[in-house]
Amino acid sequence: MPISKTVTRIDINQRRIINGADADVIQLYPMKHLFAWEAYNTGNANHWLPTEISMQKDIEQWRSPGVLSDDERKALKTVLGFFTTADSIAANNIVLAFYRHITSPECRMYLLRQGYEEAIHTHAYQYIVESLGLDEGEIFNMYREVDAIYNKDEFILGFNEGIFDPAFKTGTFEADQKFLENIVVFSIILEGIFFYSSFAVMFGFQRQNKMIGSAEQIQYIMRDESQHLNFGINMANTIKEEQPELWTPEFQQRMIDLVKRAVVLECTFAKEVFPTGIFGMNAEGFKQYIEYIADRRLARIGLAQQYNVANPFPWMSEAIDLSKEKNFFETRVTEYQVGGALEW
Ligand code: FE
């Protein structure tokens, strides 16, 4: 759009996540949404690349008969089948949907970083598949062949209708609710629920001292994803403050219903991953873990918890949820990370 020449300065109080002034979009400072700038800096401090992590031990374990059971092999391949395409879906949503509708330049700065991180994650899965000598066609096409993965992706991608439409514009009550719904679906459900049970599978391997290179890749990914989730939650909560009229009781109930549908899809996925259970984890334990995670996500956007269950995998909260001083990344080959920024 053309820029109008003016000496009138931007009023920072007018800045909005969506529906802000057009001229505001290219002026990073002064800044209003400080959470986005913090997320951008944290992302930079956490920079990593998949090829820095040694896969040697994983390759030996995968090739030696008897180290991994058939169930463990199936579980690893199924979570890779989900992972390999999930970050591409997330990346497309950032670039093709979120970015052009967001009018906060600091949020756009973070989205540029986030988009790159999604590419690194897809690279990591490709690197695991290649290192282990898995059939790329099989793993990367699983989202179209395995019902439990297809149904998750189908659920998520359905919400891009409208938002991806080049004619879609924010600025009406319906469109703004649609956009907010997109944030809930992509950040809270895709990044906040659909990834986490697959993360847990990988840490199940790690706890058995199996596939530790793959698990380390996933630890880095999980650290990035927890930032993506936080950013999405911050965007949703800020839109709620900036446009409180959108957060109607009906809309809140709709978001709860979406999360509950996602929990059912994720439990079905867990059954596909663990037909009989591995590492003392089975679909029943996973159901409770998914419900526990879903409640936490709902609470963070101010919605009522639906399940009220205890965390059945307390070791996961050590690995994921808590801000800890422990360095999880001591096996790292090279270091970008400086000082105390390793806390989550
Ligand atoms: Fe992400």
Side-chain angles (χ1 to χ4, degrees):
M1 75 225 38
I3 304 164
S4 45
K5 198 152 181 286
T6 175
V7 292
T8 310
R9 299 275 164 89
I10 295 286
D11 176 1
I12 194 65
N13 295 311
Q14 300 294 315
R15 182 163 288 178
R16 295 282 180 270
I17 302 273
I18 51 173
N19 301 311
D22 287 342
D24 194 17
V25 170
I26 49 179
Q27 292 195 21
L28 181 64
Y29 265 86
M31 206 178 271
K32 181 183 177 195
H33 302 117
L34 294 173
F35 68 85
W37 187 240
E38 277 166 26
Y40 172 79
N41 285 308
T42 303
N44 289 339
N46 286 345
H47 188 69
W48 68 286
L49 285 173
T51 46
E52 295 161 353
I53 296 159
S54 169
M55 292 292 292
Q56 199 49 48
K57 216 163 163 226
D58 296 46
I59 294 166
E60 287 162 20
Q61 289 181 334
W62 190 259
R63 284 182 186 162
S64 336
V67 176
L68 299 172
S69 70
D70 288 349
D71 283 351
E72 289 167 6
R73 286 171 188 272
K74 179 185 159 74
L76 186 90
K77 279 163 60 167
T78 310
V79 299
L80 280 174
F82 168 70
F83 278 143
T84 45
T85 41
D87 285 81
S88 298
I89 290 173
N92 287 345
N93 190 64
I94 290 165
V95 176
L96 300 172
F98 275 2
Y99 193 89
R100 73 195 169 100
H101 300 300
I102 283 173
T103 51
S104 161
E106 53 270 33
C107 286
R108 285 187 165 193
M109 281 287 277
Y110 181 66
L111 286 173
L112 293 170
R113 170 80 213 177
Q114 186 182 344
Y116 177 49
E117 288 174 4
E118 306 298 6
I120 290 173
H121 301 172
T122 302
H123 180 181
Y125 311 132
Q126 180 277 336
Y127 181 57
I128 294 172
V129 168
E130 187 182 39
S131 299
L132 301 181
L134 302 179
D135 178 344
E136 289 102 341
E138 178 194 350
I139 304 292
F140 278 80
N141 202 48
M142 265 192 192
Y143 79 111
R144 299 197 293 190
E145 297 178 29
V146 176
D147 283 348
I149 302 175
Y150 175 85
N151 291 336
K152 281 166 66 166
D153 288 359
E154 172 77 4
F155 171 83
I156 292 291
L157 289 170
F159 291 91
N160 274 338
E161 280 165 29
I163 304 283
F164 271 38
D165 182 344
F168 177 86
K169 271 193 174 59
T170 58
T172 64
F173 180 79
E174 288 73 25
D176 291 354
Q177 275 197 338
K178 175 92 186 142
F179 190 80
L180 193 50
E181 178 189 78
N182 187 280
I183 294 179
V184 169
V185 166
F186 277 84
S187 298
I188 281 86
I189 294 179
L190 175 61
E191 299 194 297
I193 297 174
F194 281 177
F195 270 93
Y196 274 72
S197 52
S198 295
F199 288 155
V201 173
M202 296 308 299
F203 296 118
F205 279 100
Q206 191 183 43
R207 282 160 54 81
Q208 309 291 318
N209 211 19
K210 290 175 177 173
M211 310 311 283
I212 51 171
S214 304
E216 192 183 349
Q217 306 268 355
I218 302 302
Q219 277 186 307
Y220 284 111
I221 291 171
M222 188 177 62
R223 183 175 62 173
D224 295 340
E225 286 303 332
S226 67
Q227 286 298 315
H228 300 179
L229 171 65
N230 277 332
F231 177 73
I233 286 167
N234 279 322
M235 278 209 301
N237 285 332
T238 308
I239 291 175
K240 277 165 59 185
E241 279 167 29
E242 291 173 350
Q243 298 182 250
E245 73 284 358
L246 300 176
W247 199 245
T248 61
E250 295 74 24
F251 185 79
Q252 293 179 41
Q253 188 57 50
R254 218 163 86 210
M255 297 308 103
I256 290 171
D257 291 343
L258 288 177
V259 167
K260 285 163 90 172
R261 271 173 61 198
V263 165
V264 172
L265 288 169
E266 190 60 8
C267 291
T268 310
F269 173 77
K271 280 189 203 127
E272 178 71 34
V273 176
F274 306 105
T276 54
I278 49 170
F279 311 144
M281 296 148 71
N282 56 30
E284 207 33 55
F286 254 79
K287 178 170 179 289
Q288 192 176 327
Y289 180 66
I290 295 156
E291 291 173 349
Y292 168 79
I293 287 289
D295 268 349
R296 292 182 53 128
R297 307 301 181 241
L298 286 167
R300 291 210 45 204
I301 52 170
L303 295 174
Q305 304 199 22
Q306 302 296 306
Y307 304 100
N308 300 302
V309 291
N311 182 0
F313 304 150
W315 49 270
M316 275 301 283
S317 49
E318 281 191 19
I320 293 175
D321 291 333
L322 299 178
S323 189
K324 289 187 60 110
E325 278 150 45
K326 182 181 166 194
N327 184 353
F328 285 105
F329 304 101
E330 49 215 8
T331 57
R332 187 130 195 222
V333 178
T334 58
E335 293 284 339
Y336 291 107
Q337 188 65 57
V338 285
L342 271 166
E343 287 177 34
W344 292 35

